[in-house]
Amino acid sequence: MSYAVIFLPLIGSILGYLGKSLSKKFSEITTCIFVSLSALLSLFIFFDGLKNKNYDNYKVLEWISSGNFEANWSINIDPLSSVMLVVVTLISALVHIYSIGYMSHDPHKPRFMSYLSLFTFSMLTLVVSDNFLQLFFGWEGVGLCSYLLIGFWYKKESANNAAIKAFIVNRIGDFGLAIGIFLIFFYFGTINFDEVFQQVPQFTQKKFVFFGIELNLITLICIFLFIGAMGKSAQFLLHTWLPDAMEGPTPVSALIHAATMVTAGVFLVVKCSPIFEYSDTALNLVAIIGMITAIFAASVALVQNDIKKIVAYSTCSQLGYMFFAAGIGAYHVAMFHLFTHAFFKALLFLGSGSVIHAFHEEQDIRKMGGIMKKLPYTYVFMLIGTLALTGFPFLSGFYSKDAIIEFAYLTKSQLGNYVVFIGVFTAFLTSIYSWRLFFKTFHGSYNNSKLPIEKTHESPLIMLIPLLFLSIGAILAGVFFKEIFIGHHNNDFWQSSVFFLEEIKHDKIPLWFLLLTPTLVVVLIPISYYYFVANTSIIEDFKKTNAPLYNFLQNKWYIDELYEIIFVKTAKKIGSFFWKQGDIGTIDRFGPDGISKLIKLISNKAGRFQTGFIYDYAFVMLIGLSILLTYLILI
């Protein structure tokens, strides 16, 4: 069964791609059936583990064996990987089904469906690995698939640029992860998770000189592992690829942001909790980067007008929540939020896709509005997703996001206080940008001059069914799984897959603190309606009077422009210098160009002897004979 969960998407990907010569329907049906079967088996594995504690490590093959070094290709089923199996396969299956309708007019749909299944297989390989090498294989696999899917519409220059940008930025993070793995192998002599984790306490005092600076070995390993996580999960400074990734088809955005690529970084930190727990410095760094990312992405989302980019920055912000939860040692809470977030974020992305589909590929929310009655089902699904994202009471986001803030409060540390403030303030910003998107899309007046409102339409049933299932998850995932994931007996579920040196007890929280964030979230709904629908002039006046702030947020804190100056232009200048002075001025000048000029010069000189007069030829022959005789005499 475990083998089938992992390899069914791969088989579906291969058959789906090869089946393009048969028909589009073959590829659609094959990929959807295989991934859906994988999802059903994942649910069985999850609940079987929950009930019977039935976990194991299944060896597929001996991958690398050299001396004492061994790295197998294995399927490691533990509580952590079983949760990820459900998230990845279930969301992927719904995205596959949704894509049948959304991509119905695309001539390359078989290739698209094949790529989606390959993406799923790569992520599954990552989450069930029992060693760092297999994890790295899956890590690079999702990077490759993201490149293929973001640039799927390769005839669009912007899509190609976005794909390249995602690939290059992720190489930075991947380089950090690779160094971390090298350090682990060099000092621990193994890359198998269990063997590494058992040895960590022995190296807590080990020092390592890095660029002349003496650092703790465990801290350095954690920092490099976290750099890898920053790239995949689009944390601050390595986040720039995420909004550009919206150039891919909407189902790709849902899969990347809800279940696969961006969750890999959170999974890595939680998986390596037995290492991170021994480095307060590394955990503080994780928490600080998470806080900055949460506030940065939420603030930028306030002023975005592309419906998909608003949801993309929301993902970036929510990932910040997950990381600062891990940074304060609440790894299980980070995983709980990852679990609930998958449902409502996929719902928001696919719901946005339904809106875009209705508007004939229009993505600017300023050119929407007033379509509540034209898209009634999409309206309800987007409403559920928005409520869950903002943390409205008793929906999934309420249980998981508020739990992060509560655990930060319970740490009773200076860093925990900062996390509480950032968490509450980010929740405030999240409510504003979420309701701005919702109200400007569905309420108010209709603002699209190119497309009559009569031509907007509800999505077909094949697209609405996945939204229905995701809505159920967005409503119920929190209340049903809170006690299992973060309750007083959560260790019964997580067992040794998540490690705590000192677990935070979830109790003794004052009532005023429990009511703070939910009250804020509820109050902001009518306020947002007033400012974004009933009286929009106030916001427009605010933009004019606070133009520098608005431009700062509109330009995403000028991070891209800063990178353009520091890295892109500098690299171009250095490259131009070496190209002109090194390549052209030296190699070409004295190499092929110089040799060809010399041969041409000699040929021109020799050509002058070809006069047509016999005495000139006799003279040349005499010189040649003289040279030959001289040579023979000398030797």
Side-chain angles (χ1 to χ4, degrees):
M1 184 184 299
S2 300
Y3 294 89
V5 170
I6 308 305
F7 291 106
L8 279 174
L10 177 62
I11 296 169
S13 175
I14 295 170
L15 293 178
Y17 190 82
L18 296 176
K20 67 181 180 179
S21 57
L22 300 175
S23 70
K24 289 183 181 179
K25 295 295 182 184
F26 178 82
S27 297
E28 295 169 5
I29 294 170
T30 303
T31 52
C32 287
I33 288 176
F34 278 75
V35 174
S36 297
L37 285 173
S38 181
L40 291 173
L41 293 173
S42 296
L43 287 169
F44 180 83
I45 290 172
F46 174 75
F47 285 108
D48 184 47
L50 188 62
K51 183 179 179 180
N52 302 318
K53 312 300 180 189
N54 190 15
Y55 302 112
D56 206 345
N57 189 306
Y58 305 93
K59 179 179 174 182
V60 178
L61 54 87
E62 189 178 88
W63 194 9
I64 298 174
S65 179
S66 178
N68 295 326
F69 173 67
E70 287 188 3
N72 297 324
W73 188 285
S74 301
I75 299 174
N76 182 49
I77 304 297
D78 61 9
L80 181 60
S81 62
S82 70
V83 171
M84 291 302 296
L85 286 177
V86 171
V87 170
V88 175
T89 57
L90 194 58
I91 301 301
S92 179
L94 295 173
V95 168
H96 273 73
I97 296 168
Y98 178 92
S99 299
I100 295 175
Y102 190 85
M103 302 291 288
S104 58
H105 301 297
D106 195 291
H108 306 292
K109 185 158 63 170
R111 178 165 59 88
F112 179 77
M113 302 298 287
S114 175
Y115 286 170
L116 284 182
S117 293
L118 184 62
F119 203 166
T120 306
F121 166 73
S122 298
M123 188 64 187
L124 292 175
T125 302
L126 189 159
V127 300
V128 299
S129 57
D130 75 341
N131 62 77
F132 282 100
L133 189 61
Q134 185 181 333
L135 179 141
F136 193 73
F137 176 88
W139 194 271
E140 293 301 303
V142 293
L144 170 63
C145 293
S146 69
Y147 171 79
L148 295 173
L149 286 166
I150 293 169
F152 179 76
W153 287 323
Y154 57 87
K155 293 184 180 179
K156 286 174 59 179
E157 185 180 359
S158 57
N160 287 325
N161 292 339
I164 293 170
K165 186 175 183 179
F167 199 76
I168 291 174
V169 173
N170 272 276
R171 295 289 69 72
I172 300 169
D174 295 354
F175 182 67
L177 175 60
I179 293 176
I181 295 173
F182 293 153
L183 285 172
I184 288 171
F185 175 67
F186 185 80
Y187 282 95
F188 291 77
T190 179
I191 54 172
N192 294 318
F193 290 136
D194 289 343
E195 296 174 5
V196 171
F197 298 159
Q198 289 173 7
Q199 295 183 54
V200 169
Q202 303 171 22
F203 288 88
T204 53
Q205 303 303 317
K206 177 72 175 178
K207 300 297 181 181
F208 182 87
V209 178
F210 184 72
F211 287 111
I213 303 172
E214 189 177 68
L215 297 170
N216 180 272
L217 175 64
I218 299 299
T219 297
L220 193 63
I221 289 172
C222 290
I223 289 173
F224 279 120
L225 293 178
F226 180 57
I227 290 172
M230 286 175 64
K232 275 290 179 288
S233 294
Q235 293 300 282
F236 187 67
L237 298 180
L238 294 180
H239 69 277
T240 52
W241 66 271
L242 193 69
D244 293 33
M246 297 303 99
E247 290 293 336
T250 301
V252 175
S253 304
L255 193 58
I256 289 177
H257 288 247
T260 54
M261 188 163 168
V262 298
T263 63
V266 180
F267 170 80
L268 175 65
V269 172
V270 175
K271 183 71 177 178
C272 294
S273 56
I275 306 177
F276 279 88
E277 276 291 275
Y278 288 95
S279 174
D280 290 337
T281 304
L283 285 175
N284 290 341
L285 177 65
V286 173
I288 291 168
I289 294 295
M291 286 189 287
I292 295 172
T293 304
I295 201 76
F296 157 75
S299 65
V300 172
L302 292 171
V303 298
Q304 296 299 306
N305 296 309
D306 185 309
I307 187 171
K308 286 172 64 178
K309 285 191 176 181
I310 295 172
V311 184
Y313 277 112
S314 171
T315 300
C316 196
S317 181
Q318 296 305 306
L319 288 165
Y321 269 99
M322 298 174 206
F323 275 110
F324 64 61
I328 60 173
Y331 305 102
H332 55 322
V333 187
M335 285 304 301
F336 183 42
H337 193 50
L338 184 153
F339 182 77
T340 61
H341 174 265
F343 292 101
F344 59 74
K345 189 49 58 71
L347 176 61
L348 286 170
F349 264 114
L350 297 186
S352 299
S354 183
V355 173
I356 295 167
H357 185 74
F359 276 93
H360 296 189
E361 304 308 313
E362 178 59 66
Q363 296 183 196
D364 193 332
I365 60 174
R366 294 172 298 182
K367 298 178 182 179
M368 299 177 184
I371 57 168
M372 177 178 66
K373 294 180 179 179
K374 295 291 292 182
L375 282 73
Y377 298 112
T378 301
Y379 176 85
V380 172
F381 295 141
M382 285 290 284
L383 176 61
I384 293 170
T386 303
L387 289 169
L389 171 62
T390 57
F392 192 83
F394 310 116
L395 272 73
S396 59
F398 163 75
Y399 290 101
S400 59
K401 187 160 63 175
D402 280 27
I404 294 174
I405 299 171
E406 291 163 13
F407 272 81
Y409 174 82
L410 291 169
T411 59
K412 302 297 183 181
S413 64
Q414 188 69 32
L415 182 63
N417 294 335
Y418 291 135
V419 169
V420 169
F421 174 77
I422 294 297
V424 173
F425 186 62
T426 303
F428 169 78
L429 297 181
T430 301
S431 292
I432 294 175
Y433 71 67
S434 297
W435 290 115
R436 173 177 176 263
L437 181 153
F438 183 79
F439 289 137
K440 290 184 78 68
T441 301
F442 293 101
H443 290 267
S445 58
Y446 185 76
N447 299 311
N448 197 309
S449 58
K450 295 182 179 179
L451 181 71
I453 192 171
E454 293 76 19
K455 290 190 176 181
T456 59
H457 57 84
E458 185 60 274
S459 297
L461 194 61
I462 194 70
M463 293 172 62
L464 294 176
I465 290 174
L467 294 177
L468 173 62
F469 281 103
L470 290 169
S471 296
I472 294 171
I475 295 170
L476 301 178
V479 66
F480 276 106
F481 292 97
K482 177 184 177 182
E483 186 60 32
I484 295 170
F485 284 8
I486 64 171
H488 292 289
H489 302 290
N490 67 82
N491 281 335
D492 292 340
F493 171 70
W494 294 111
Q495 298 182 25
S496 60
S497 64
V498 177
F499 178 77
F500 305 95
L501 274 177
E502 184 178 348
E503 186 179 355
I504 305 168
K505 296 298 181 183
H506 193 202
D507 52 16
K508 297 181 181 179
I509 305 172
L511 181 62
W512 69 267
F513 188 78
L514 291 173
L515 295 176
L516 176 62
T517 308
T519 303
L520 188 67
V521 166
V522 173
V523 169
L524 280 170
I525 298 175
I527 294 174
S528 299
Y529 182 85
Y530 176 76
Y531 283 114
F532 296 122
V533 179
N535 194 350
T536 57
S537 59
I538 297 176
I539 297 294
E540 295 303 320
D541 291 340
F542 181 82
K543 289 179 184 177
K544 293 175 183 177
T545 55
N546 296 273
L549 174 62
Y550 178 77
N551 291 332
F552 178 72
L553 297 179
Q554 185 72 40
N555 288 283
K556 301 161 288 187
W557 291 22
Y558 295 102
I559 300 295
D560 284 279
E561 289 77 5
L562 188 64
Y563 284 177
E564 177 77 17
I565 295 170
I566 296 175
F567 299 114
V568 178
K569 289 185 176 179
T570 303
K572 284 182 177 179
K573 288 180 180 178
I574 294 172
S576 177
F577 172 80
F578 282 108
W579 172 54
K580 290 180 179 178
Q581 302 300 324
D583 197 1
I584 296 176
T586 305
I587 298 173
D588 285 354
R589 181 183 176 188
F590 297 105
D593 290 348
I595 294 171
S596 62
K597 286 181 180 179
L598 180 62
I599 292 173
K600 186 177 181 180
L601 179 64
I602 294 171
S603 298
N604 289 337
K605 296 292 185 182
R608 293 182 181 181
F609 290 109
Q610 307 299 321
T611 62
F613 296 106
I614 192 169
Y615 52 80
D616 285 332
Y617 296 145
F619 178 68
V620 171
M621 292 171 65
L622 181 62
I623 292 174
L625 181 61
S626 300
I627 293 172
L628 179 61
L629 290 173
T630 303
Y631 172 74
L632 292 172
I633 292 170
L634 290 176
I635 63 172

